Amino acid sequence: MSTKAARKAPAEAAPETPEPADADSRIYQAIFDGVLNHRLTPGTKLPEPELCNLFGVGRAVVRRVLEKLAHDGIVALRPNKGAVIAEPTPEETSQIFEARRAMERVLVELAVERATRDDICDLRRQLADEHDAMHRFDQPSWARLASGFHLRIAALARNPVLQRYLTELVSRCSLIVGLYEPPGHAPCEHDEHAAIVACIESRDAAGAVALMEAHLRELEQRIETSRMQGEKSLAQMLGLPQKPGRNP
């Protein structure tokens, strides 16, 4: 019995080491959220040593995550220069908005068909949170809630495949807004969101689709070629505490 216990000891100790997949997900989500909330703007450098230090992982893990982010269009990998947050071109901007309009058209139609009374109540709470953030002049919260509104409607369609595609498009639009939209503008207009919710509640699919189409076209038309520059550290932009030193 003691021999069996001795043999099992190494296996029992193994769970104390985090699974690589957990570390991958943690790093990916931190960078993804940084983009979605406009803390990480296009062109921001993502040095491998600093990411290793911030997340307490080796370079193999960081490189694997950066490659996945590059595959999803969020990061650009530059030979001999490292990774940076992607900088969409004007042509890519037009293509991404075109794809997003088509995707949200389908998702809004499904949301009108499938949303429950509780879902509508959740959307109303979302609108209230947006209103509060707007009147507090809390731009980071407002940006997060504005993107979250679109993803919440996508969730009401109850189609995880379409929802996943929209999540990628919304993150890429957040990059574009961070790069091109004039400072001080909200990424979405609260009143437009409220009108869309009213149509969903009244089961007016055509009205909801038309409003969403106009809403996204208005957002695209506000895009300019001036870039917002930031001077925060990578840790701040990722929403993480700063750590002294870095991994070799």
Side-chain angles (χ1 to χ4, degrees):
M1 186 171 180
S2 59
T3 304
K4 289 182 180 179
R7 288 175 180 171
K8 289 182 179 179
E12 292 170 352
E16 295 178 5
T17 303
E19 290 293 328
D22 293 340
D24 287 20
S25 176
R26 187 162 48 94
I27 301 168
Y28 184 101
Q29 199 61 46
I31 294 174
F32 182 90
D33 288 345
V35 168
L36 203 63
N37 297 329
H38 301 159
R39 292 193 304 266
L40 288 171
T41 54
T44 301
K45 294 180 181 180
L46 300 171
E48 287 184 11
E50 192 169 352
L51 287 170
C52 290
N53 180 64
L54 288 171
F55 292 98
V57 297
R59 289 201 181 209
V61 175
V62 167
R63 286 174 181 168
R64 187 164 60 238
V65 173
L66 291 176
E67 286 171 2
K68 186 175 189 313
L69 287 162
H71 177 268
D72 293 344
I74 298 168
V75 163
L77 300 178
R78 299 178 176 178
N80 303 318
K81 293 185 178 179
V84 298
I85 298 298
E87 300 183 71
T89 65
E91 182 181 12
E92 288 172 330
T93 295
S94 177
Q95 293 169 350
I96 289 167
F97 270 97
E98 183 178 56
R100 180 171 172 180
R101 286 194 302 272
M103 185 66 64
E104 294 218 44
R105 188 180 308 123
V106 174
L107 286 164
V108 166
E109 288 177 343
L110 291 173
V112 169
E113 177 186 334
R114 298 172 180 175
T116 66
R117 187 176 298 277
D118 287 344
D119 292 333
I120 300 300
C121 289
D122 287 342
L123 285 175
R124 292 291 180 193
R125 282 191 287 271
Q126 169 88 15
L127 291 176
D129 290 342
E130 286 183 9
H131 185 271
D132 290 345
M134 182 174 62
H135 286 276
R136 292 196 314 270
F137 301 100
D138 185 349
Q139 184 69 12
S141 293
W142 175 217
R144 174 179 53 79
L145 289 164
S147 297
F149 173 81
H150 292 266
L151 297 178
R152 188 179 289 271
I153 288 180
L156 301 187
R158 292 175 169 80
N159 185 313
V161 177
L162 292 174
Q163 184 179 354
R164 185 168 65 249
Y165 289 148
L166 182 68
T167 299
E168 178 184 336
L169 288 170
V170 167
S171 71
R172 298 184 74 176
C173 282
S174 292
L175 283 175
I176 293 165
V177 169
L179 179 60
Y180 292 127
E181 192 178 48
H185 283 253
C188 288
E189 294 298 331
H190 175 75
D191 290 346
E192 294 173 5
H193 283 184
I196 291 168
V197 171
C199 283
I200 294 174
E201 185 172 20
S202 63
R203 305 298 176 183
D204 179 4
V209 167
L211 287 170
M212 183 65 80
E213 174 89 8
H215 175 58
L216 293 174
R217 286 191 182 278
E218 173 69 19
L219 175 59
E220 183 178 6
Q221 287 167 7
R222 289 204 307 269
I223 298 302
E224 289 185 353
T225 56
S226 59
R227 181 192 296 177
M228 298 192 318
Q229 298 286 348
E231 306 222 350
K232 294 183 179 179
S233 70
L234 180 58
Q236 288 173 312
M237 290 186 285
L238 287 168
L240 298 170
Q242 183 70 52
K243 290 186 178 181
R246 56 174 59 179
N247 286 358

